[in-house]
Amino acid sequence: MVCRSPRALYKVVLTSLLVGVGVGGMAGGCATPDSDPDPTGAAGTMGQGGDARGGTTGAAGATGVGGTTGNAGTTGAAGVSGVAGNNSSGVAGTTGSAGTTGRGGAAGGRGGAAGGVAGAGGRGGAAGGAAGRGGAAGGAAGAAGRGGAAGGAAGRGGAAGAPTTANLCTWPTAAGSPQSVSATIAVSGTYDGGMKRFVGSGPLGGTGQDEGQGPLFEVANGGTLQNVIIGSPAADGVHCRGTCTLRNVWWEDVGEDAATLQGSSSSQTMTIENGGAKGAADKVFQHNGPGTMIIRNFCAQDFGKLYRSCGNCDSQFQRNVEMDNVMIIPRASALAGVNTNYNDTARFTRITIRASANSVSICDRYTGNNTGAEPTKTGSGADGKACIYSASDITWQP
């Protein structure tokens, strides 16, 4: 016995009913040929199964073209360096113009073409192959053009009119008529002489080495004397009562001394820069009080000593001097004299001497006193303690 499922039995019964109806229709002759099938027609052949193979795989979309890289912006031109002035402050350099902005990179590359067309379905077979893979994502957008570099650095202002080493001994021309000075000019704050020539007269008309002469200028603590030419007679030049600056001051014929640092504070500093002195029978700069004297960007010619720490003052102190970028044109016996027993120091950098090597002493050492006696010289040359410099700090130009 063949066991059939309820669904199979239903199909057998339905088929039998349809056959019976077909036979009945023929007997009654009611059905039209266009509406009913011929019961005697041969059964249709079974459709062939579709090709077992799936449709061909769609071709992959083309890869998007990468965006082009933006052109880099041009670099801004550097500002012109400020011109170093011999006399007054250097002219500031012009500001560099800003670099032009780089153009941004082109937009991202075009996206790849759409994925390949899905394979056509096989006849009766499985559905077409999976859709072709979409084109790879569009190329990355070109990097944005780099902006032009920032404008060139602003030109540096002339460094307080600092001349180059080669031009240190270029002497200025005085402006206008000489100004006679019969009484010391007191300077508080900043005194600008406008490059006039000042000459002593009356009580300040001395030209010798007599001690106790008055100065043409006396600068208070914190004061600045600038743009001055001191002619002859020069008396005792300039006195500083504490920290002071002598900028672009030129002594055409030094009298007793060109300038003297007095005061009483160990922290005071006298700065002498961008000037020159010549014609000193003995010293150019005298250091009587404590503190530090700085001499830089300076020309000294035809003198005895450029600097001397007082060797026999009533009150003695430790004193320090620093010389940098100084041109020496002999006659000259020594650049500095210091007292080792009071722990003085002298430092030298970028010294140029227009003479044969070792013909001028760089630093002389003494034993000072407070009795007024002539101090005793104990040595010369670098010792790393009182006289501090190396051979490379000194340039000789025979």
Side-chain angles (χ1 to χ4, degrees), residues 37-60:
D38 184 352
T40 62
T45 59
M46 182 176 296
Q48 296 177 346
D51 190 337
R53 293 169 299 183
T56 58
T57 302

Side-chain angles (χ1 to χ4, degrees), residues 216-268:
L216 297 189
F217 295 91
E218 185 171 76
V219 184
N221 183 43
T224 296
L225 177 68
Q226 63 185 25
N227 302 327
V228 166
I229 297 175
I230 297 179
S232 179
D236 201 28
V238 180
H239 288 183
C240 277
R241 303 293 295 174
T243 291
C244 70
T245 299
L246 308 184
R247 179 180 298 119
N248 203 30
V249 177
W250 299 79
W251 291 263
E252 294 179 323
D253 189 2
V254 175
E256 181 183 348
D257 297 313
T260 302
L261 176 57
Q262 299 174 333
S264 59
S265 173
S266 61
S267 63
Q268 66 188 14

Side-chain angles (χ1 to χ4, degrees), residues 321-376:
V321 64
E322 299 174 8
M323 299 187 193
D324 175 62
N325 197 27
V326 175
M327 174 73 76
I328 304 297
I329 301 178
R331 173 187 66 94
S333 62
L335 271 63
V338 294
N339 305 311
T340 56
N341 57 317
Y342 297 123
N343 299 315
D344 291 352
T345 64
R347 299 175 183 271
F348 306 85
T349 54
R350 298 192 298 168
I351 305 298
T352 301
I353 303 176
R354 292 184 180 175
S356 57
N358 303 316
S359 60
V360 176
S361 175
I362 305 302
C363 185
D364 291 343
R365 297 186 295 277
Y366 294 85
T367 297
N369 63 74
N370 61 357
T371 64
E374 191 65 23
T376 302

